[in-house]
Amino acid sequence: MTVSSLGRLVRRLRLARALTIEQLAEASGVSVRAIGDMERGRSTKPRHGTVAALMQGLRLGEAEAEELFLAARADRSEKAADVPAPTAHFAPLPRGIRDFVGREDELRVLGDLIEEGTRSGAVQSEGAPPLPPVAVVSGVPGSGKTTLALRLAEERRSDFPDGAFFIDLRGLEDRPPTPDETVVRLLNAWGVDDAQVGRLTHEERLALYQSTAAGLRAVLVLDNAGHETQVRALLPAEGRMLVVVTSRRPLAGLSGVHRLELGTLAGSESNALLRAVVADGRVDADPDAAARVAGLCGHLPLALRVAANWAATRSGWTLGRLADRLADEDRRMDALSAGDLGVASAFHLSYSRLAPETARVFRLLSLIPGGDFSIPYAAVLAETSVVEAEDTLEELLEAGLLMTSVGDRYRFHDLLRLYGRARNRDTDNEAVSVAAAARLRGWLLDTVAAAAQVATGEAEAREGSASTASPQHFRTREQALEWLRAESDNWLSALRQEAEQQDPGRVVVIAFAVEGVCNSWISWGHWSEVFALGARSAEATGDPDSQAGCLSMLAWVYWQCHRRHEEALETATSALAIASACGSLGRQAEAYMYLGWLRDVVNDVVPAVEDIAQAMDLFLRAGDTRRYLQAANMNITVLRKAGRGQEAVETHHAVMGSLAQLPGGIDDPRYAVTVRISRYHVAFVYLNEGRWEEAAEVLTGLEQSYADSGFHLATTKIYLYRGHCLAHLGREAEAEGDYRAVLGLGDSAPVDLREEARAGLAGLSAGALPSRTAFE
């Protein structure tokens, strides 16, 4: 993590006074951890009070106090600029209800919270931290909690220039998302780079989440929370973001929040809702019947809307007839405890009037494992075309039996999902349901494999197919990655089911198919489960080679995605033992490579060099040129760290020589990344030995490749360090161009490296050489 100018200044001032961090903490009242985090660049946004306390503890004079104050202000500005300003494009709200009625008092209370947040923002400019407003909207199922939150976000959109964001916490499911997973989703939605998020620890993600949220004027709807721990870490500590949490429970364990309990609708509101949906005068023509309908629906908005939608499509029915049907309907939904027995009747009334094929699709949709779904799911389950499936979904939406979700997707209210599953059990032949579920599972996993091939460049993208028997196709790499992300809940559930009761061999195939996707989606929290399932499935099928391969990938994930080094090392060691026992040279080499990498990341470089040398030898013996070159590049890095620079240079020349002997030569685009990495890392050997000409030569031409791949730190270092080389070589005009290129990167370049580029420009003007002597 880059250390800010403020962090460096605090450290310099502290050391100038010969103070330890503990002594400064005692003198200032600022905690040891806070000072340490600030000096290491982990403090995201120092408060005015903290800066003032440090000034007092350091006993600064006027000039130094002003310097510290200005650095703190600049640090806050830089930190805010690090994250692109998000827009609602990243996480749009689901479609709202056009005929929303009632809940005026509740909307007024929530509106007052928005005004409170605005007033808090005004207080912030005077130095006091704002108190972000949080509302917990609780109530019985079907009381309209989500609808109310969405209505507020739509009505007050102008109060939230940074957008409105919606996350379904799926609190009633067996595997709801963890707070960390929700933090990752929101950071991605706010434009934070996924690779950056993936490299952070859990605590660092929370810190970044809090600092980003503090700078947003937005509304965040956390829908369907099951318990306090799903929500607590997501509540902003400062700023003007309005958070609306919906839950069946009041979440009494949360402090400092405003609670709003939704009961059933008042009689007049129920009447208004019926009138809004059945808009042809029948409600006013028979108010007694309308009251009976509302009573049989328990005055619950969901049940009322389902019944009213049904009546609206049957203009020949009176409301009295509707009330009679509600009273006589099957009440097999009693066990759902939805607040009133009439809810089941309302669902069944609409369901029973569906066309047989539409009703069949409704029942089949309840088999989908994830929280929401897209149109092809219905097509696969019903064995129909996508066009016909979309028509059916819209019909169910109009009947009130489905809800919309983000991005042209659909979802069930949890009561309706249970109702659909109950109808499926009661109506459909078990073999038919099992076959439909297997068909969906097969389509999902086939599409995962197809998407992974396109995302990793192993297959050409192509136009989508209208056939529901074949997996979905993808036009671009980005489209394939987006599908894998959007459908992750569903395809992960399918993978679990396949591992538990179906075809473990297929689980292994999918694990290897998605192996190359991890680098493009490091922040996803379930890669460890995917490769653990793959390893167990390979063991179950008696395939030790594949078991070792999955364990090696699991070791990579444990460290790269979770920073669990001990587990990663243990898992890689197990992979090596299994690969050795079955005599697989390739898997042994792979395990050695990961062991070397894992030792290198904790600077245990001597055994790392030995492990990677073993990997290189085994890859050569196995005839795997691609991964031999990959291991050789790793060897360049660890040899340099071990102080064996000449061996690192020799390894670089060996890589280039091996590439030159291949049919495509050193310019073969398949090995462009290998060439790039080898040149980049050997450059640091030359730089640290003062071999400026050779360093400049290997760095030249790398900047665009790294920039195109989104590696902003590496791009910055290439320009900056090549500028230093050129300055030492007396090529001032070219050095100036590189320094200015660093500044032209703007916020993509770390603050301290931009400052170093400015110092380089000043040195050129003054005839002074760059002062840096160590390069990392």
Side-chain angles (χ1 to χ4, degrees), residues 13 44 228 295 557 569 575:
L13 292 170
T44 56
E228 290 86 346
V557 167
L569 205 61

Side-chain angles (χ1 to χ4, degrees), residues 7 10 12 199 205 268 328 361 520 540 576 579 636 672 676 724:
V10 169
R12 176 167 63 80
R199 286 190 293 267
R205 286 175 182 171
S268 58
D328 291 342
V361 174
S520 301
L576 177 59
I636 294 171
R676 180 179 80 190
H724 290 340

Side-chain angles (χ1 to χ4, degrees), residues 681-703:
H681 286 292
V682 81
F684 286 88
V685 177
Y686 295 141
L687 286 164
N688 284 302
E689 294 181 359
R691 297 160 67 175
W692 309 120
E693 187 77 50
E694 292 158 296
E697 182 180 351
V698 295
L699 287 173
T700 296
L702 293 184
E703 61 275 10

Side-chain angles (χ1 to χ4, degrees), residues 38 157 195 333 370 441 554 571 589 617 676 700 703 705 736:
M38 191 179 300
R157 189 177 294 272
M333 284 271 290
R441 187 166 59 250
L554 181 58
T571 304
D617 177 62
R676 180 179 80 190
T700 296
E703 61 275 10
S705 176
E736 180 181 351

Side-chain angles (χ1 to χ4, degrees), residues 141-142 145 171-173 224 248 302 333 336 347 403 411-420:
K145 302 179 290 293
L172 298 178
E173 295 186 7
N224 200 15
R248 293 186 177 189
L302 176 64
M333 284 271 290
L336 290 180
F347 294 168
M403 303 166 66
R411 63 190 178 116
F412 279 107
H413 186 283
D414 47 15
L415 291 183
L416 282 165
R417 182 190 296 274
L418 289 173
Y419 178 78

Side-chain angles (χ1 to χ4, degrees), residues 47 129-132 209-210 213-214 233-239:
R47 295 185 177 182
L131 299 174
Y209 171 83
Q210 287 289 345
L234 307 176
L235 304 183
E238 57 182 284

Side-chain angles (χ1 to χ4, degrees), residues 524-534 536 553-554 557-558 561-562 564:
W524 191 44
H526 296 285
W527 290 121
S528 57
E529 182 180 359
V530 169
F531 295 109
L533 286 173
R536 288 198 297 271
M553 273 307 300
L554 181 58
V557 167
Y558 275 148
C561 301
H562 302 299
R564 289 153 56 179

